[in-house]
Amino acid sequence: MIHYWLVLLGIAVAIAYVADKIKQPYPTLLVVAGLLLGIFPINALNEFKTYVSSDHVFQTAVILIFLSALIGDAALKLPFGEIKENKRPILLLALLGTFMTFILVAGLSYFLLGLDLQKSLVFGALMAATDPVSVLTIFKSMGLNKKLSIIVEGESLANDGVAVVLFKIALVTTVLSMSGVLHGSLEFVKVVLGGIVIGVVTGYIASKITSSIDNYLVEIGLSIVLFYGAFELAEMFHFSGVISVVFAGLLLGTYGKNIGMSDLTHDKMDSFWETIAFIANALIFLMVGLEISNINFTEKWIEIGGSILIVLAARFIAVYASLIFDKEIPPIWKPIIAWGGLKGSLSIALILSISPDFDGRDLILAMTFSNVVFSLLVQGTTISPLVKKLNVK
């Protein structure tokens, strides 16, 4: 099976090279290429497409292989001082904004699209967060205002973990009651706080070990163990693996670098994770496009179109409503933050993790995939013109 991944990587790298030459974001071209490969029958690639787009391979690649590396890389490079300075808008968007999006998408899907309660809650959770893979890749290439960029990146890392927790709770929720809401709330707090604790503890331990080592190869190896170990440890205790990796990466990238990393180690580690992130991103965006070959869109177009409008409306309402509590955010930033709420591979991976026996899985998968592709191809390609139109420096 290794030759399938080599073919996939070869295609991804070639497309990324073309994207660089024509000055376009490579995620967009990769998704388009994946869609074309998935739609048009190419006999020589049939076996390759079947393997790469299979539910198990996609879910395993995104959640178990790529996710920890991508989130760890992003958290490692986020300046903690600036995160701290902008913690208010980040927390408002990541907590209040994500929860509002979840409620709005679920409620509107229930009343307007006719989905039952559980399907509505599951879809709401899948669409509640912005995907860090998509957001960070596209926003980093734009050279945005530093404060705005920090807010968007910080939100995408934090709300991702929140949405995964909401998704897990939604999967077991079939009826709303006071006791159910209370239980869900307590479970939410436990999973989030547990993830934070494991991330902080593992990040602190790794930082202390780093301070006693002066070998960049060993320290890079330690960072790999940290990111994947924090994720697995948190998941083992049924906490949020995503949140644990975020905090572990933040701690290593600030405290760890300050107390024990040489400039050489710092540069080598950043270069290593930048390379890993590029490879992972390139593979993921191509796989997203290829996933179209596994999705049945028949008689689902009304729900798909309605879901895209609902998700967009919910995102804008949630952003504007949550940022009412922060008067320092310029009004001109709000449409950029709202339109930049891109969806990505994690949403698809989560829905693919549901058993095929789950009632309505095919419909939710089609809606989720369509929203992801819309956000990457429409929102992802128009966010830069929007920034220029609004004259955001």
Side-chain angles (χ1 to χ4, degrees), residues 105-124 170 173-176 358-361 363-364 367:
V105 172
L108 292 172
S109 297
Y110 180 82
F111 288 109
L112 299 182
L113 299 183
L115 303 187
D116 65 31
L117 177 63
Q118 189 171 39
K119 294 192 193 76
S120 298
L121 291 173
V122 168
F123 183 64
T173 303
T174 55
V175 62
L176 288 181
F358 181 84
D359 184 37
R361 180 181 185 269
L363 173 59
I364 299 174
M367 289 163 57

PDB file of all heavy atoms in Angstrom, residues 105-124 170 173-176 358-361 363-364 367:
ATOM      1  N   VAL A 105     -27.041  26.005  13.891  1.00  0.00           N
ATOM      2  CA  VAL A 105     -27.048  25.035  12.788  1.00  0.00           C
ATOM      3  C   VAL A 105     -27.978  23.874  13.117  1.00  0.00           C
ATOM      4  O   VAL A 105     -28.782  23.443  12.271  1.00  0.00           O
ATOM      5  CB  VAL A 105     -25.619  24.520  12.492  1.00  0.00           C
ATOM      6  CG1 VAL A 105     -25.662  23.365  11.478  1.00  0.00           C
ATOM      7  CG2 VAL A 105     -24.736  25.636  11.947  1.00  0.00           C
ATOM      8  N   ALA A 106     -27.883  23.364  14.344  1.00  0.00           N
ATOM      9  CA  ALA A 106     -28.740  22.244  14.733  1.00  0.00           C
ATOM     10  C   ALA A 106     -30.214  22.655  14.717  1.00  0.00           C
ATOM     11  O   ALA A 106     -31.070  21.935  14.170  1.00  0.00           O
ATOM     12  CB  ALA A 106     -28.346  21.751  16.125  1.00  0.00           C
ATOM     13  N   GLY A 107     -30.532  23.819  15.288  1.00  0.00           N
ATOM     14  CA  GLY A 107     -31.917  24.278  15.346  1.00  0.00           C
ATOM     15  C   GLY A 107     -32.505  24.544  13.966  1.00  0.00           C
ATOM     16  O   GLY A 107     -33.633  24.109  13.656  1.00  0.00           O
ATOM     17  N   LEU A 108     -31.750  25.230  13.119  1.00  0.00           N
ATOM     18  CA  LEU A 108     -32.244  25.540  11.770  1.00  0.00           C
ATOM     19  C   LEU A 108     -32.352  24.279  10.914  1.00  0.00           C
ATOM     20  O   LEU A 108     -33.267  24.158  10.083  1.00  0.00           O
ATOM     21  CB  LEU A 108     -31.328  26.563  11.100  1.00  0.00           C
ATOM     22  CG  LEU A 108     -31.355  27.975  11.721  1.00  0.00           C
ATOM     23  CD1 LEU A 108     -30.272  28.853  11.119  1.00  0.00           C
ATOM     24  CD2 LEU A 108     -32.720  28.614  11.528  1.00  0.00           C
ATOM     25  N   SER A 109     -31.442  23.341  11.099  1.00  0.00           N
ATOM     26  CA  SER A 109     -31.520  22.076  10.355  1.00  0.00           C
ATOM     27  C   SER A 109     -32.758  21.288  10.770  1.00  0.00           C
ATOM     28  O   SER A 109     -33.405  20.632   9.946  1.00  0.00           O
ATOM     29  CB  SER A 109     -30.264  21.231  10.608  1.00  0.00           C
ATOM     30  OG  SER A 109     -29.109  21.893  10.138  1.00  0.00           O
ATOM     31  N   TYR A 110     -33.086  21.371  12.047  1.00  0.00           N
ATOM     32  CA  TYR A 110     -34.253  20.664  12.570  1.00  0.00           C
ATOM     33  C   TYR A 110     -35.551  21.273  12.043  1.00  0.00           C
ATOM     34  O   TYR A 110     -36.447  20.560  11.560  1.00  0.00           O
ATOM     35  CB  TYR A 110     -34.225  20.714  14.104  1.00  0.00           C
ATOM     36  CG  TYR A 110     -35.377  20.010  14.781  1.00  0.00           C
ATOM     37  CD1 TYR A 110     -35.353  18.623  14.972  1.00  0.00           C
ATOM     38  CD2 TYR A 110     -36.489  20.723  15.233  1.00  0.00           C
ATOM     39  CE1 TYR A 110     -36.412  17.981  15.602  1.00  0.00           C
ATOM     40  CE2 TYR A 110     -37.545  20.090  15.863  1.00  0.00           C
ATOM     41  CZ  TYR A 110     -37.503  18.719  16.047  1.00  0.00           C
ATOM     42  OH  TYR A 110     -38.564  18.074  16.655  1.00  0.00           O
ATOM     43  N   PHE A 111     -35.649  22.605  12.094  1.00  0.00           N
ATOM     44  CA  PHE A 111     -36.904  23.270  11.727  1.00  0.00           C
ATOM     45  C   PHE A 111     -37.045  23.515  10.218  1.00  0.00           C
ATOM     46  O   PHE A 111     -38.153  23.461   9.687  1.00  0.00           O
ATOM     47  CB  PHE A 111     -37.029  24.595  12.468  1.00  0.00           C
ATOM     48  CG  PHE A 111     -37.305  24.442  13.931  1.00  0.00           C
ATOM     49  CD1 PHE A 111     -36.321  24.738  14.874  1.00  0.00           C
ATOM     50  CD2 PHE A 111     -38.533  23.985  14.381  1.00  0.00           C
ATOM     51  CE1 PHE A 111     -36.571  24.592  16.226  1.00  0.00           C
ATOM     52  CE2 PHE A 111     -38.788  23.836  15.733  1.00  0.00           C
ATOM     53  CZ  PHE A 111     -37.811  24.130  16.666  1.00  0.00           C
ATOM     54  N   LEU A 112     -35.944  23.798   9.528  1.00  0.00           N
ATOM     55  CA  LEU A 112     -36.024  24.146   8.106  1.00  0.00           C
ATOM     56  C   LEU A 112     -35.741  22.976   7.163  1.00  0.00           C
ATOM     57  O   LEU A 112     -36.345  22.881   6.098  1.00  0.00           O
ATOM     58  CB  LEU A 112     -35.052  25.292   7.790  1.00  0.00           C
ATOM     59  CG  LEU A 112     -35.289  26.616   8.534  1.00  0.00           C
ATOM     60  CD1 LEU A 112     -34.282  27.667   8.075  1.00  0.00           C
ATOM     61  CD2 LEU A 112     -36.720  27.110   8.311  1.00  0.00           C
ATOM     62  N   LEU A 113     -34.828  22.089   7.563  1.00  0.00           N
ATOM     63  CA  LEU A 113     -34.482  20.968   6.680  1.00  0.00           C
ATOM     64  C   LEU A 113     -35.214  19.687   7.049  1.00  0.00           C
ATOM     65  O   LEU A 113     -35.159  18.706   6.308  1.00  0.00           O
ATOM     66  CB  LEU A 113     -32.967  20.716   6.713  1.00  0.00           C
ATOM     67  CG  LEU A 113     -32.070  21.865   6.236  1.00  0.00           C
ATOM     68  CD1 LEU A 113     -30.608  21.436   6.265  1.00  0.00           C
ATOM     69  CD2 LEU A 113     -32.459  22.311   4.829  1.00  0.00           C
ATOM     70  N   GLY A 114     -35.885  19.692   8.209  1.00  0.00           N
ATOM     71  CA  GLY A 114     -36.668  18.523   8.594  1.00  0.00           C
ATOM     72  C   GLY A 114     -35.851  17.364   9.121  1.00  0.00           C
ATOM     73  O   GLY A 114     -36.350  16.229   9.175  1.00  0.00           O
ATOM     74  N   LEU A 115     -34.593  17.608   9.525  1.00  0.00           N
ATOM     75  CA  LEU A 115     -33.797  16.537  10.118  1.00  0.00           C
ATOM     76  C   LEU A 115     -34.311  16.250  11.522  1.00  0.00           C
ATOM     77  O   LEU A 115     -34.814  17.136  12.198  1.00  0.00           O
ATOM     78  CB  LEU A 115     -32.320  16.940  10.193  1.00  0.00           C
ATOM     79  CG  LEU A 115     -31.610  17.332   8.896  1.00  0.00           C
ATOM     80  CD1 LEU A 115     -30.122  17.535   9.164  1.00  0.00           C
ATOM     81  CD2 LEU A 115     -31.802  16.280   7.816  1.00  0.00           C
ATOM     82  N   ASP A 116     -34.170  14.993  11.963  1.00  0.00           N
ATOM     83  CA  ASP A 116     -34.580  14.699  13.329  1.00  0.00           C
ATOM     84  C   ASP A 116     -33.547  15.266  14.303  1.00  0.00           C
ATOM     85  O   ASP A 116     -32.495  15.782  13.903  1.00  0.00           O
ATOM     86  CB  ASP A 116     -34.807  13.197  13.542  1.00  0.00           C
ATOM     87  CG  ASP A 116     -33.538  12.365  13.399  1.00  0.00           C
ATOM     88  OD1 ASP A 116     -32.437  12.865  13.708  1.00  0.00           O
ATOM     89  OD2 ASP A 116     -33.641  11.199  12.985  1.00  0.00           O
ATOM     90  N   LEU A 117     -33.838  15.182  15.602  1.00  0.00           N
ATOM     91  CA  LEU A 117     -33.018  15.844  16.612  1.00  0.00           C
ATOM     92  C   LEU A 117     -31.565  15.389  16.574  1.00  0.00           C
ATOM     93  O   LEU A 117     -30.644  16.217  16.558  1.00  0.00           O
ATOM     94  CB  LEU A 117     -33.603  15.592  18.009  1.00  0.00           C
ATOM     95  CG  LEU A 117     -32.799  16.172  19.171  1.00  0.00           C
ATOM     96  CD1 LEU A 117     -32.744  17.697  19.088  1.00  0.00           C
ATOM     97  CD2 LEU A 117     -33.383  15.722  20.510  1.00  0.00           C
ATOM     98  N   GLN A 118     -31.334  14.075  16.544  1.00  0.00           N
ATOM     99  CA  GLN A 118     -29.959  13.590  16.613  1.00  0.00           C
ATOM    100  C   GLN A 118     -29.157  13.974  15.375  1.00  0.00           C
ATOM    101  O   GLN A 118     -28.009  14.405  15.472  1.00  0.00           O
ATOM    102  CB  GLN A 118     -29.925  12.077  16.815  1.00  0.00           C
ATOM    103  CG  GLN A 118     -28.503  11.570  17.105  1.00  0.00           C
ATOM    104  CD  GLN A 118     -28.474  10.131  17.522  1.00  0.00           C
ATOM    105  OE1 GLN A 118     -29.213   9.303  17.000  1.00  0.00           O
ATOM    106  NE2 GLN A 118     -27.615   9.804  18.489  1.00  0.00           N
ATOM    107  N   LYS A 119     -29.763  13.832  14.189  1.00  0.00           N
ATOM    108  CA  LYS A 119     -29.071  14.227  12.959  1.00  0.00           C
ATOM    109  C   LYS A 119     -28.734  15.716  12.998  1.00  0.00           C
ATOM    110  O   LYS A 119     -27.649  16.132  12.584  1.00  0.00           O
ATOM    111  CB  LYS A 119     -29.933  13.939  11.730  1.00  0.00           C
ATOM    112  CG  LYS A 119     -30.206  12.484  11.436  1.00  0.00           C
ATOM    113  CD  LYS A 119     -30.822  12.339  10.043  1.00  0.00           C
ATOM    114  CE  LYS A 119     -31.390  10.953   9.830  1.00  0.00           C
ATOM    115  NZ  LYS A 119     -32.674  10.732  10.517  1.00  0.00           N
ATOM    116  N   SER A 120     -29.668  16.519  13.490  1.00  0.00           N
ATOM    117  CA  SER A 120     -29.452  17.964  13.556  1.00  0.00           C
ATOM    118  C   SER A 120     -28.293  18.302  14.496  1.00  0.00           C
ATOM    119  O   SER A 120     -27.445  19.144  14.179  1.00  0.00           O
ATOM    120  CB  SER A 120     -30.723  18.669  14.039  1.00  0.00           C
ATOM    121  OG  SER A 120     -31.792  18.451  13.146  1.00  0.00           O
ATOM    122  N   LEU A 121     -28.263  17.639  15.654  1.00  0.00           N
ATOM    123  CA  LEU A 121     -27.198  17.902  16.618  1.00  0.00           C
ATOM    124  C   LEU A 121     -25.842  17.455  16.085  1.00  0.00           C
ATOM    125  O   LEU A 121     -24.824  18.143  16.264  1.00  0.00           O
ATOM    126  CB  LEU A 121     -27.495  17.197  17.942  1.00  0.00           C
ATOM    127  CG  LEU A 121     -28.684  17.744  18.745  1.00  0.00           C
ATOM    128  CD1 LEU A 121     -28.976  16.848  19.947  1.00  0.00           C
ATOM    129  CD2 LEU A 121     -28.422  19.179  19.201  1.00  0.00           C
ATOM    130  N   VAL A 122     -25.803  16.310  15.431  1.00  0.00           N
ATOM    131  CA  VAL A 122     -24.548  15.812  14.859  1.00  0.00           C
ATOM    132  C   VAL A 122     -24.041  16.757  13.777  1.00  0.00           C
ATOM    133  O   VAL A 122     -22.855  17.135  13.760  1.00  0.00           O
ATOM    134  CB  VAL A 122     -24.728  14.383  14.286  1.00  0.00           C
ATOM    135  CG1 VAL A 122     -23.520  13.981  13.435  1.00  0.00           C
ATOM    136  CG2 VAL A 122     -24.925  13.380  15.414  1.00  0.00           C
ATOM    137  N   PHE A 123     -24.931  17.174  12.881  1.00  0.00           N
ATOM    138  CA  PHE A 123     -24.516  18.098  11.820  1.00  0.00           C
ATOM    139  C   PHE A 123     -24.097  19.448  12.406  1.00  0.00           C
ATOM    140  O   PHE A 123     -23.124  20.056  11.953  1.00  0.00           O
ATOM    141  CB  PHE A 123     -25.652  18.286  10.808  1.00  0.00           C
ATOM    142  CG  PHE A 123     -25.273  19.173   9.646  1.00  0.00           C
ATOM    143  CD1 PHE A 123     -24.280  18.786   8.759  1.00  0.00           C
ATOM    144  CD2 PHE A 123     -25.912  20.399   9.459  1.00  0.00           C
ATOM    145  CE1 PHE A 123     -23.910  19.611   7.700  1.00  0.00           C
ATOM    146  CE2 PHE A 123     -25.548  21.222   8.402  1.00  0.00           C
ATOM    147  CZ  PHE A 123     -24.552  20.824   7.517  1.00  0.00           C
ATOM    148  N   GLY A 124     -24.818  19.913  13.430  1.00  0.00           N
ATOM    149  CA  GLY A 124     -24.451  21.161  14.087  1.00  0.00           C
ATOM    150  C   GLY A 124     -23.054  21.103  14.676  1.00  0.00           C
ATOM    151  O   GLY A 124     -22.272  22.053  14.566  1.00  0.00           O
ATOM    152  N   ALA A 170     -23.238  14.756  20.917  1.00  0.00           N
ATOM    153  CA  ALA A 170     -24.388  14.714  20.010  1.00  0.00           C
ATOM    154  C   ALA A 170     -24.689  13.293  19.543  1.00  0.00           C
ATOM    155  O   ALA A 170     -25.845  12.933  19.318  1.00  0.00           O
ATOM    156  CB  ALA A 170     -24.134  15.614  18.802  1.00  0.00           C
ATOM    157  N   THR A 173     -27.036  11.632  21.952  1.00  0.00           N
ATOM    158  CA  THR A 173     -28.201  12.412  22.380  1.00  0.00           C
ATOM    159  C   THR A 173     -29.368  12.163  21.430  1.00  0.00           C
ATOM    160  O   THR A 173     -29.315  12.520  20.261  1.00  0.00           O
ATOM    161  CB  THR A 173     -27.877  13.920  22.401  1.00  0.00           C
ATOM    162  OG1 THR A 173     -26.754  14.145  23.249  1.00  0.00           O
ATOM    163  CG2 THR A 173     -29.068  14.708  22.919  1.00  0.00           C
ATOM    164  N   THR A 174     -30.421  11.532  21.942  1.00  0.00           N
ATOM    165  CA  THR A 174     -31.590  11.261  21.109  1.00  0.00           C
ATOM    166  C   THR A 174     -32.813  12.059  21.553  1.00  0.00           C
ATOM    167  O   THR A 174     -33.792  12.158  20.822  1.00  0.00           O
ATOM    168  CB  THR A 174     -31.945   9.757  21.148  1.00  0.00           C
ATOM    169  OG1 THR A 174     -32.113   9.357  22.510  1.00  0.00           O
ATOM    170  CG2 THR A 174     -30.833   8.929  20.511  1.00  0.00           C
ATOM    171  N   VAL A 175     -32.750  12.614  22.756  1.00  0.00           N
ATOM    172  CA  VAL A 175     -33.869  13.409  23.259  1.00  0.00           C
ATOM    173  C   VAL A 175     -33.326  14.485  24.198  1.00  0.00           C
ATOM    174  O   VAL A 175     -32.347  14.261  24.908  1.00  0.00           O
ATOM    175  CB  VAL A 175     -34.907  12.518  24.001  1.00  0.00           C
ATOM    176  CG1 VAL A 175     -34.267  11.860  25.221  1.00  0.00           C
ATOM    177  CG2 VAL A 175     -36.140  13.314  24.390  1.00  0.00           C
ATOM    178  N   LEU A 176     -33.927  15.668  24.158  1.00  0.00           N
ATOM    179  CA  LEU A 176     -33.495  16.759  25.031  1.00  0.00           C
ATOM    180  C   LEU A 176     -34.310  16.755  26.320  1.00  0.00           C
ATOM    181  O   LEU A 176     -35.535  16.661  26.297  1.00  0.00           O
ATOM    182  CB  LEU A 176     -33.665  18.108  24.326  1.00  0.00           C
ATOM    183  CG  LEU A 176     -32.682  18.417  23.200  1.00  0.00           C
ATOM    184  CD1 LEU A 176     -32.974  19.799  22.625  1.00  0.00           C
ATOM    185  CD2 LEU A 176     -31.238  18.365  23.690  1.00  0.00           C
ATOM    186  N   PHE A 358     -25.665   3.977  11.128  1.00  0.00           N
ATOM    187  CA  PHE A 358     -26.273   5.174  11.712  1.00  0.00           C
ATOM    188  C   PHE A 358     -27.292   5.760  10.733  1.00  0.00           C
ATOM    189  O   PHE A 358     -26.968   6.057   9.580  1.00  0.00           O
ATOM    190  CB  PHE A 358     -25.180   6.204  12.023  1.00  0.00           C
ATOM    191  CG  PHE A 358     -25.698   7.471  12.659  1.00  0.00           C
ATOM    192  CD1 PHE A 358     -25.912   7.542  14.028  1.00  0.00           C
ATOM    193  CD2 PHE A 358     -25.966   8.599  11.895  1.00  0.00           C
ATOM    194  CE1 PHE A 358     -26.368   8.709  14.625  1.00  0.00           C
ATOM    195  CE2 PHE A 358     -26.428   9.773  12.475  1.00  0.00           C
ATOM    196  CZ  PHE A 358     -26.631   9.821  13.844  1.00  0.00           C
ATOM    197  N   ASP A 359     -28.531   5.922  11.186  1.00  0.00           N
ATOM    198  CA  ASP A 359     -29.594   6.414  10.324  1.00  0.00           C
ATOM    199  C   ASP A 359     -29.308   7.851   9.860  1.00  0.00           C
ATOM    200  O   ASP A 359     -29.092   8.743  10.675  1.00  0.00           O
ATOM    201  CB  ASP A 359     -30.924   6.379  11.087  1.00  0.00           C
ATOM    202  CG  ASP A 359     -32.093   6.799  10.213  1.00  0.00           C
ATOM    203  OD1 ASP A 359     -32.102   6.464   9.018  1.00  0.00           O
ATOM    204  OD2 ASP A 359     -32.997   7.493  10.741  1.00  0.00           O
ATOM    205  N   GLY A 360     -29.287   8.054   8.539  1.00  0.00           N
ATOM    206  CA  GLY A 360     -29.048   9.383   8.001  1.00  0.00           C
ATOM    207  C   GLY A 360     -27.585   9.712   7.765  1.00  0.00           C
ATOM    208  O   GLY A 360     -27.243  10.849   7.420  1.00  0.00           O
ATOM    209  N   ARG A 361     -26.710   8.730   7.952  1.00  0.00           N
ATOM    210  CA  ARG A 361     -25.272   8.976   7.784  1.00  0.00           C
ATOM    211  C   ARG A 361     -24.954   9.486   6.381  1.00  0.00           C
ATOM    212  O   ARG A 361     -24.173  10.425   6.213  1.00  0.00           O
ATOM    213  CB  ARG A 361     -24.489   7.699   8.062  1.00  0.00           C
ATOM    214  CG  ARG A 361     -22.960   7.834   7.905  1.00  0.00           C
ATOM    215  CD  ARG A 361     -22.318   6.472   8.187  1.00  0.00           C
ATOM    216  NE  ARG A 361     -20.869   6.505   8.171  1.00  0.00           N
ATOM    217  CZ  ARG A 361     -20.128   6.279   7.098  1.00  0.00           C
ATOM    218  NH1 ARG A 361     -20.707   6.058   5.926  1.00  0.00           N
ATOM    219  NH2 ARG A 361     -18.797   6.284   7.172  1.00  0.00           N
ATOM    220  N   LEU A 363     -26.801  11.140   4.247  1.00  0.00           N
ATOM    221  CA  LEU A 363     -27.262  12.518   4.053  1.00  0.00           C
ATOM    222  C   LEU A 363     -26.318  13.496   4.756  1.00  0.00           C
ATOM    223  O   LEU A 363     -25.910  14.509   4.169  1.00  0.00           O
ATOM    224  CB  LEU A 363     -28.682  12.684   4.600  1.00  0.00           C
ATOM    225  CG  LEU A 363     -29.234  14.119   4.609  1.00  0.00           C
ATOM    226  CD1 LEU A 363     -29.260  14.695   3.195  1.00  0.00           C
ATOM    227  CD2 LEU A 363     -30.623  14.154   5.245  1.00  0.00           C
ATOM    228  N   ILE A 364     -25.949  13.204   6.008  1.00  0.00           N
ATOM    229  CA  ILE A 364     -25.060  14.098   6.747  1.00  0.00           C
ATOM    230  C   ILE A 364     -23.686  14.160   6.082  1.00  0.00           C
ATOM    231  O   ILE A 364     -23.057  15.218   6.022  1.00  0.00           O
ATOM    232  CB  ILE A 364     -24.933  13.649   8.217  1.00  0.00           C
ATOM    233  CG1 ILE A 364     -26.297  13.678   8.898  1.00  0.00           C
ATOM    234  CG2 ILE A 364     -23.970  14.567   8.973  1.00  0.00           C
ATOM    235  CD1 ILE A 364     -26.283  13.120  10.318  1.00  0.00           C
ATOM    236  N   MET A 367     -23.969  16.425   3.038  1.00  0.00           N
ATOM    237  CA  MET A 367     -24.068  17.824   3.469  1.00  0.00           C
ATOM    238  C   MET A 367     -22.723  18.338   3.992  1.00  0.00           C
ATOM    239  O   MET A 367     -22.305  19.451   3.685  1.00  0.00           O
ATOM    240  CB  MET A 367     -25.143  17.949   4.559  1.00  0.00           C
ATOM    241  CG  MET A 367     -26.565  17.763   4.049  1.00  0.00           C
ATOM    242  SD  MET A 367     -27.770  17.414   5.371  1.00  0.00           S
ATOM    243  CE  MET A 367     -27.563  18.833   6.441  1.00  0.00           C
TER     244      MET A 367
END
